[in-house]
Amino acid sequence: MAVSPSSISRLELTISMPGFSPPPPPFPSSGTGEEEWITNGGPPRKKLRLSKEQSRLLEESFRQHHTLNPRQKEALALQLKLRPRQVEVWFQNRRARSKLKQTEMECEYLKRWFGSLTEQNRRLQREVEELRALKVGPPTVMSPHSCEPLPASTLTMCPSCERVTTTGLDKGSTKTTTTAVATPTTAATLSSKVGTPALQSRQSSAAC
DNA sequence: GTTGGGGGGCACTTTACCTCA
DNA sequence: GATGAGGTAAAGTGCCCCCCA
């Protein structure tokens, strides 16, 4: 949710509340004179629009800490010539906007990942079809050690990470052969940034 | 250990206002 | 210029959780 020039321009608007006094406690105008509660005889308007400077200071404060204790809230309200409730509301809405943005990023990433998995699935399906077409006997897997065919019973798949594991080789040793399962490289990048529990759990299972 | 009240955060919604076709 | 749709941000509401007496 990028801030468009149009939305910025809105911040410069003045507040008008015809026929009304500022709500208690008296709502003071800012030092810039952009937040005057004025009357012009029209229908009542009661929405505050923050000035550029107020928004800037709030953003700056938000960068330092995403929540405020009562003392910080009071001080910021005093500095901005707003009511503490307005500062509180701004922080609540700001947190919600941050969360929404993060969710959108995750959604985008998951869409891309889904696309790549779909493509990979198609490739593997084609490969299976080709192998089936060539089939002359039971499926065999070649040992990486002896280049001899392995019995199918030695092949297992880890249910969590979906890697194919060959067992019973070299006197009980276990050799893991990573199959062509999609590697969530971007997942690692993204989850390290956003800390998504679901993505982190995927990563941990990949370490199986 | 239990309980009730107060405060804060969050999700969801409403409202006022803006932009644009 | 008027108008309606859609978007955005401020504010309202209700719920939950935590802390403390």
Side-chain angles (χ1 to χ4, degrees):
Chain A
M1 183 175 28
V3 177
S4 67
S6 58
S7 67
I8 290 172
S9 70
R10 273 188 244 159
L11 300 174
E12 300 174 313
L13 298 172
T14 57
I15 302 303
S16 59
M17 191 122 174
F20 282 82
S21 298
F27 185 77
S29 64
S30 73
T32 62
E34 290 176 343
E35 298 304 318
E36 301 280 354
W37 291 79
I38 59 176
T39 62
N40 61 10
R45 284 198 268 162
K46 47 187 176 181
K47 276 237 167 169
L48 165 74
R49 289 290 170 177
L50 299 172
S51 70
K52 265 184 187 174
E53 181 63 9
Q54 284 170 325
S55 293
R56 189 188 66 77
L57 282 170
L58 283 164
E59 283 290 347
E60 196 173 298
S61 179
F62 185 76
R63 272 197 298 276
Q64 288 164 11
H65 24 63
H66 287 200
T67 57
L68 296 175
N69 61 39
R71 190 171 295 182
Q72 289 171 321
K73 190 198 303 178
E74 195 74 39
L76 195 54
L78 202 65
Q79 186 183 3
L80 296 168
K81 299 188 169 62
L82 295 171
R83 281 172 287 151
R85 169 67 183 158
Q86 290 175 305
V87 173
E88 181 183 312
V89 165
W90 188 91
F91 267 75
Q92 267 176 19
N93 286 319
R94 185 65 180 79
R95 283 193 293 270
R97 288 195 290 271
S98 287
K99 188 171 185 178
L100 177 64
K101 193 173 178 178
Q102 178 177 318
T103 303
E104 285 171 349
M105 281 172 56
E106 289 181 35
C107 183
E108 272 308 304
Y109 160 71
L110 289 172
K111 276 187 202 166
R112 286 199 299 272
W113 195 11
F114 174 77
S116 79
L117 286 176
T118 302
E119 173 56 29
Q120 184 159 27
N121 189 40
R122 261 198 296 270
R123 276 206 319 272
L124 291 170
Q125 295 277 14
R126 273 201 305 272
E127 198 173 330
V128 166
E129 290 304 319
E130 287 167 13
L131 289 171
R132 280 196 178 130
L134 295 172
K135 178 182 172 187
V136 290
T140 56
V141 174
M142 302 306 284
S143 164
H145 303 280
S146 59
C147 296
E148 295 289 324
L150 286 172
S153 61
T154 63
L155 299 175
T156 58
M157 178 177 279
C158 171
S160 61
C161 70
E162 297 185 354
R163 283 179 178 174
V164 173
T165 303
T166 58
T167 55
L169 299 173
D170 300 337
K171 295 176 182 175
S173 70
T174 297
K175 195 83 177 178
T176 299
T177 305
T178 304
T179 61
V181 171
T183 307
T185 50
T186 52
T189 311
L190 182 65
S191 65
S192 68
K193 284 181 185 170
V194 299
T196 310
L199 297 177
Q200 284 170 343
S201 70
R202 270 198 297 277
Q203 280 183 273
S204 60
S205 71
C208 167

